Amino acid sequence: MSDDKREDRWTEGPELTSGQAGEARREKSEKPAPAAESAEALRERQRLAQQEMLDRWIDGVLVEQRRSRRWKLFFRFLFAALILASLMATFYSLFGDPITEPERQHLGVVTVRGVIDSESPASAERIIEGLNRAWEAANATAVVLHIDSPGGSPVQSQRVYNEILRLREEGDKPIIAVIEDVGASGAYYMAAAADEIVAAPASLVGSIGVIFASFGFEEAIERLGIERRIYVSGENKGFLDPFSPVAPEEREFWQTVMDTTHDQFIEAVRQGRGDRLADDERLFTGLIWNGEQALELGLIDGISSLDALSRELLGEVRLHDYTPRLAPFERLSRQFGRVAAEWMGVPSSRSPVRYQLP
């Protein structure tokens, strides 16, 4: 490669000789300088820059205003929806659940589904209202307690049990308990008051016992370096606190509470079932049996289902559900409350002692 074509790796382009470099400098010095910008042009350029900045600021303000209006509209719509839902729930509670009775003879069904609790659909208030509706219906030849529940609150179960006994003393309309999948613990407590109990062969029946379950975290908080501060008036007020150790005398006292509640359960079953119960020491130990085993033990009176019972009594399936319906808004709020309580670990029941499957 010739000298005037050599490439210099430290500069851009080909290497120039001294003569070529001088000629390039002369051409550059002879090139006319750009004309100075006039004052008018400078002012115009500044004005345009200011106008552009002002336009950007206005655009930002408009975007914020639109966003603010959207949020206002959203909250207004949400508020209006809540008002409308409340009005619908009120209207439904007043006019949406009329007591209609079929003209033909039928079985008056009252449903007990899910955990028995004052805040659940299977509350004593709702079940008792349904029982009275079915009892007062002239064309209901029998009142049927349709049960699919693992049990629950002792107080709610006792209330329904006592109401069934009261109705039985008032007249001769039979009250029959039909156990679907599960009729255990507090649900069986209710059923024991009925004139008759039937279940499917594979139904789960029994669990005549009382349960209280909790956790102990006293060692866990010590390892985490957490100081527990609890103030009580009454030396035993905090004895169920899961962050405090359980003293032997506290454990003994609490066991007497459980045993007394269990005795109430046993007495209710004996009163309701009478001589139909088998002489088996396992009956009241909290065990649960299928339908066939329960029949042998005298816990139920027969193997049947809701439809089969209707055909037996009426010749065909004629059922009418007298259980008070929940308003849609109430149903939604109950479901939301239950899920929120489970998510936060808050107990969903007011009573720690339960007639319920573990």
Side-chain angles (χ1 to χ4, degrees):
M1 183 179 292
S2 62
D3 291 343
D4 59 346
K5 296 297 182 180
R6 286 182 304 161
E7 294 287 338
D8 187 354
R9 64 192 181 108
W10 303 107
T11 61
E12 294 182 359
E15 182 181 359
L16 300 177
T17 62
S18 58
Q20 291 173 332
E23 185 179 354
R25 283 194 295 271
R26 283 194 302 271
E27 290 178 355
K28 185 174 181 181
S29 62
E30 292 174 359
K31 191 173 182 179
E37 188 175 15
S38 66
E40 184 66 25
L42 180 61
R43 283 196 298 271
E44 180 63 19
R45 190 167 66 174
Q46 291 175 343
R47 187 186 68 79
L48 292 175
Q50 292 172 353
Q51 183 66 39
E52 183 180 359
M53 184 181 301
L54 181 62
D55 290 342
R56 280 201 221 116
W57 179 79
I58 292 174
D59 288 341
V61 171
L62 292 176
V63 168
E64 288 298 323
Q65 287 180 345
R66 284 195 293 268
R67 185 180 294 119
S68 176
R69 280 198 299 270
R70 283 197 296 267
W71 279 110
K72 286 181 180 178
L73 288 174
F74 170 76
F75 284 114
R76 286 174 183 171
F77 175 78
L78 180 62
F79 181 74
L82 290 174
I83 294 295
L84 181 61
S86 300
L87 290 175
M88 289 176 62
T90 303
F91 181 82
Y92 183 89
S93 63
L94 293 175
F95 308 105
D97 191 15
I99 303 175
T100 58
E101 179 186 346
E103 296 180 357
R104 303 174 64 191
Q105 288 190 333
H106 59 278
L107 299 185
V109 178
V110 181
T111 302
V112 181
R113 180 172 290 112
V115 175
I116 300 164
D117 192 83
S118 61
E119 299 298 324
S120 75
S123 65
E125 181 180 359
R126 188 162 176 256
I127 296 169
I128 289 173
E129 183 179 347
L131 286 170
N132 283 278
R133 287 184 179 186
W135 182 265
E136 295 167 1
N139 292 326
T141 59
V143 178
V144 176
L145 201 63
H146 191 205
I147 296 173
D148 189 1
S149 168
S153 164
V155 174
Q156 300 294 302
S157 303
Q158 289 170 347
R159 285 183 59 190
V160 176
Y161 176 93
N162 292 331
E163 182 66 15
I164 294 174
L165 291 182
R166 185 189 70 82
L167 292 175
R168 287 179 58 183
E169 293 175 358
E170 283 191 355
D172 57 357
K173 183 180 290 188
I175 300 178
I176 304 170
V178 177
I179 296 174
E180 191 73 23
D181 290 308
V182 182
S185 212
Y188 185 77
Y189 193 119
M190 295 179 181
D195 295 287
E196 184 182 351
I197 306 175
V198 298
S203 297
L204 296 179
V205 181
S207 186
I208 302 172
V210 184
I211 186 171
F212 166 77
S214 67
F215 297 92
F217 298 103
E218 60 270 17
E219 293 185 7
I221 62 173
E222 288 179 4
R223 292 178 182 177
L224 294 173
I226 300 172
E227 179 185 358
R228 172 67 168 162
R229 297 172 181 173
I230 180 171
Y231 307 96
V232 299
S233 179
E235 58 180 319
N236 294 312
K237 185 62 178 176
F239 81 99
L240 289 179
D241 176 46
F243 298 98
S244 303
V246 181
E249 58 272 16
E250 293 175 344
R251 186 184 304 275
E252 182 180 353
F253 167 77
W254 190 238
Q255 189 61 52
T256 62
V257 174
M258 303 284 287
D259 291 341
T260 303
T261 309
H262 189 204
D263 290 340
Q264 296 170 2
F265 194 170
I266 294 172
E267 180 60 28
V269 173
R270 289 192 186 279
Q271 181 183 353
R273 298 299 296 167
D275 296 336
R276 289 173 288 185
L277 290 174
D279 185 12
D280 193 317
E281 60 183 11
R282 301 174 301 164
L283 275 177
F284 307 115
T285 62
L287 289 175
I288 189 166
W289 293 272
N290 63 33
E292 290 184 353
Q293 293 170 318
L295 181 61
E296 295 175 0
L297 293 169
L299 292 172
I300 66 174
D301 300 288
I303 299 296
S304 187
S305 64
L306 186 60
D307 292 345
L309 181 66
S310 180
R311 292 190 186 96
E312 179 185 343
L313 297 178
L314 301 173
E316 60 179 311
V317 177
R318 291 204 298 269
L319 309 170
H320 186 75
D321 194 346
Y322 287 92
T323 314
R325 289 181 291 176
L326 292 173
F329 185 72
E330 183 181 2
R331 238 182 356 251
L332 179 64
S333 63
R334 285 179 185 269
Q335 184 72 7
F336 176 78
R338 182 186 64 79
V339 172
E342 290 179 356
W343 183 76
M344 293 186 292
V346 178
S348 59
S349 170
R350 297 182 180 182
S351 174
V353 180
R354 310 290 283 170
Y355 293 152
Q356 187 174 338
L357 285 174

